[in-house]
């Protein structure tokens, strides 16, 4: 009996390893086998090189294919030996790092599992090449542009940047059938007319302004439909469609035009989850794409799954909103009821992100964190509390007697709670959440 159940368990484990391809199993593989250990926004070129050393040791092909403006090496990873050529590139915008880590984890898992049936099938069907961190100079200082101050993604025709020239050369010399252009979008982008962040947005990129359909474009829609179905198991409601506007100088649009139809993946934000969770979502999406292309099930997906995605929407979300507080103007000691909306600037995780007041008054946008400040007077350390100023806020319970005009109010009348740089540095929990 015991022998039999051991056998059954063994068979089950074998089956799981052989066909471990469901989204849940992909997520589990990532949990167990991912090697990226830094938050993507903290990753620099030196860290990428360490990751790539790891891939080399596993036996992957990793080649320097060019240099950035500041002479930093740009690498290409290759895996598989199949006829269908898939090309991916990440971080052409230096401050958009999530997919770089996902690519490292993807190649690690593919190579570690190369003897598994599912990985063999992918290797036989496709050859994958990827450039992680196309813009290492921008990544080094966490800015969008390259060292020349040029947005590489507007350089597809001018080719003034070494990074842009390299990207075009890698495409032209290899002529891949599918391209993946991997970015990050504003974390406060909403999925349609909802209060949900668009954690992942897709765009199947046309090759002309007239949006002429093609077989490759239709196939990419079905691949995206498969990725949506996979991600829906983890982040339902948080998947959206990126703005479909023809940008004549952008690489995605021109790749499609030149014969490599592109899928754009934009990673957004997801309140309450860290950057690594979004690495995992990228991993699940990309592995799903490889799976459905390799086993042919891509054909079973309907493009309408993609077409019915809600559109990316801006101006719906803020990081923090305080509702119904009384905002004190220290100069006059007058108070006025108002909501305060605060957004956090984008920074590396290791750096402090400034919190800025973005709106004061009646705010219709939703805060990812919402507080009921109706029992509080609010004073700005930076006066006055107005859009564009740092959100350094002191909270006083309404029933306290405060002389708002004293020179050092924080010392004379210690606040009940203080919000600084987007965090409670005193009195966390005093102002109730809504
Ligand atoms: Zn971008």
């Amino acid at each position: 009996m015991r022998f039999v159940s051991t056998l059954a368990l063994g068979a089950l484990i074998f089956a799981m390893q052989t066909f471990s391809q469901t989204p849940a199993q992909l997520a589990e593989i990532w949990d167990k086998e991912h090697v990226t250990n830094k938050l993507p926004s903290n990753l620099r070129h030196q860290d990428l090189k360490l990751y790539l050393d790891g891939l080399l040791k596993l036996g992957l092909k990793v080649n320097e294919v060019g240099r950035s403006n500041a002479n930093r090496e740009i690498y290409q990873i290759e895996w598989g030996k199949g006829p269908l050529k898939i090309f991916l590139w990440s971080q052409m915008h230096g401050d958009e790092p999530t997919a770089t880590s996902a690519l490292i984890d993807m190649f690690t898992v593919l190579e570690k599992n190369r003897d598994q049936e599912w990985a063999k099938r992918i290797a036989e069907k496709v050859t994958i090449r990827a450039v992680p961190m196309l813009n290492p100079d921008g990544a080094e200082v966490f800015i969008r542009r390259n060292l020349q101050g040029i947005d590489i993604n507007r350089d597809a025709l001018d080719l003034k940047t070494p990074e842009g020239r390299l990207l075009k050369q890698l495409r032209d010399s290899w002529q891949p059938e599918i391209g993946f252009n991997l970015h990050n979008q504003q974390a406060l982008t909403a999925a349609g007319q909802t209060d949900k962040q668009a954690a992942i947005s897709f765009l199947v990129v046309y090759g002309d302004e007239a949006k002429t359909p093609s077989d490759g474009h239709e196939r990419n829609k079905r691949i995206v439909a498969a990725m949506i179905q996979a991600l829906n198991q983890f982040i339902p409601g948080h998947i959206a469609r990126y703005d479909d506007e023809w940008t004549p100088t952008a690489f995605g649009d021109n790749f499609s035009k030149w014969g490599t139809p592109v899928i754009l993946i934009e990673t957004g934000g997801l309140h309450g989850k860290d950057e690594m969770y979004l690495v995992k979502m990228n991993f699940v999406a990309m592995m799903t794409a490889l799976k459905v292309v390799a086993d042919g099930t891509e054909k079973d997906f309907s493009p309408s799954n993609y077409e019915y995605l809600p559109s990316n929407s801006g101006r719906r979300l803020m990081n923090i909103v305080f509702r119904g507080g009384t905002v004190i103007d220290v100069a006059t000691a007058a108070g006025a009821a108002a909501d305060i909306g605060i957004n956090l600037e984008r920074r590396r995780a290791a750096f402090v992100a400034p919190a800025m007041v973005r709106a004061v008054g009646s705010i219709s946008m939703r805060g990812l964190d919402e507080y009921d400040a109706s029992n509080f007077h609010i004073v700005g350390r930076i006066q006055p509390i107005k859009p564009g100023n740092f959100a350094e806020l002191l909270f006083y319970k309404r029933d306290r007697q405060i002389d708002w005009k004293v020179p050092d109010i924080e010392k004379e009348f210690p606040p009940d709670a203080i919000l600084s740089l987007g965090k409670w540095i005193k009195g966390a929990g005093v102002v109730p959440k809504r």
Side-chain angles (χ1 to χ4, degrees), residues 205-405:
V205 183
Y206 281 105
D208 61 9
E209 193 168 8
K211 302 184 181 181
T212 309
S214 68
D215 290 348
H217 187 86
E218 288 303 303
R219 179 208 51 217
N220 281 1
K221 279 187 186 174
R222 296 191 299 270
I223 293 171
V224 170
M227 292 193 281
I228 294 165
Q229 190 190 71
L231 292 179
N232 261 332
Q233 301 182 28
F234 306 94
I235 49 171
H238 289 280
I239 307 166
R241 187 145 52 89
Y242 196 80
D243 179 35
D244 192 3
E245 193 185 324
W246 172 251
T247 309
T249 56
F251 264 101
D253 306 60
N254 279 292
F255 260 56
S256 294
K257 184 178 173 181
W258 297 330
T260 301
V262 159
I263 294 169
L264 170 72
I265 303 180
E266 294 269 356
T267 301
L270 192 56
H271 193 49
K273 299 281 189 185
D274 74 0
E275 290 181 56
M276 295 311 287
Y277 187 78
L278 295 171
V279 172
K280 176 155 76 171
M281 293 301 101
N282 269 258
F283 172 87
V284 169
M286 294 191 298
M287 291 291 286
T288 299
L290 295 179
K291 171 201 182 301
V292 298
V293 166
D295 67 12
T297 53
E298 156 261 308
K299 293 186 178 60
D300 303 336
F301 286 87
S302 161
S304 60
N305 288 9
Y306 163 72
E307 286 154 1
Y308 291 143
L309 276 181
S311 297
N312 269 5
S313 311
R315 300 196 54 77
R316 297 190 62 82
L317 298 171
M318 306 187 97
N319 285 109
I320 306 170
V321 176
F322 291 101
R323 302 272 176 202
T326 300
V327 176
I328 303 293
D329 179 349
V330 168
T332 61
D339 307 330
I340 302 173
I342 295 168
N343 283 349
L344 303 177
E345 305 284 298
R346 219 162 116 62
R347 291 289 187 277
R348 289 191 197 279
F351 291 175
V352 170
M356 313 299 290
V357 176
R358 285 297 170 215
V360 179
S362 176
I363 296 175
S364 60
M365 289 196 267
R366 296 289 299 176
L368 297 177
D369 284 313
E370 289 250 345
Y371 292 92
D372 175 3
S374 56
N375 286 321
F376 293 86
H377 290 121
I378 308 171
V379 177
R381 268 177 173 168
I382 315 283
Q383 278 292 320
I385 298 175
K386 67 165 190 186
N389 272 356
F390 284 104
E392 295 288 308
L393 305 179
L394 313 177
F395 292 79
Y396 293 91
K397 287 182 180 154
R398 267 182 183 287
D399 51 13
R400 287 178 63 184
Q401 293 298 315
I402 311 283
D403 176 2
W404 303 114
K405 292 192 168 183

Side-chain angles (χ1 to χ4, degrees), residues 21 84 86 118-126 287-298:
Q21 286 287 284
L84 185 76
I86 300 179
W118 64 266
K120 276 191 205 165
R121 194 165 49 203
I122 295 173
E124 281 159 14
K125 285 282 161 55
V126 305
M287 291 291 286
T288 299
L290 295 179
K291 171 201 182 301
V292 298
V293 166
D295 67 12
T297 53
E298 156 261 308

Side-chain angles (χ1 to χ4, degrees), residues 91-96 144 151 153 181-185 242 264 266:
Q91 217 166 348
M92 70 190 310
H93 292 142
D95 58 351
E96 301 182 11
R144 176 182 179 89
D151 182 341
N153 204 24
N181 185 9
L182 307 169
H183 289 253
N184 286 73
Q185 64 187 2
Y242 196 80
L264 170 72
E266 294 269 356

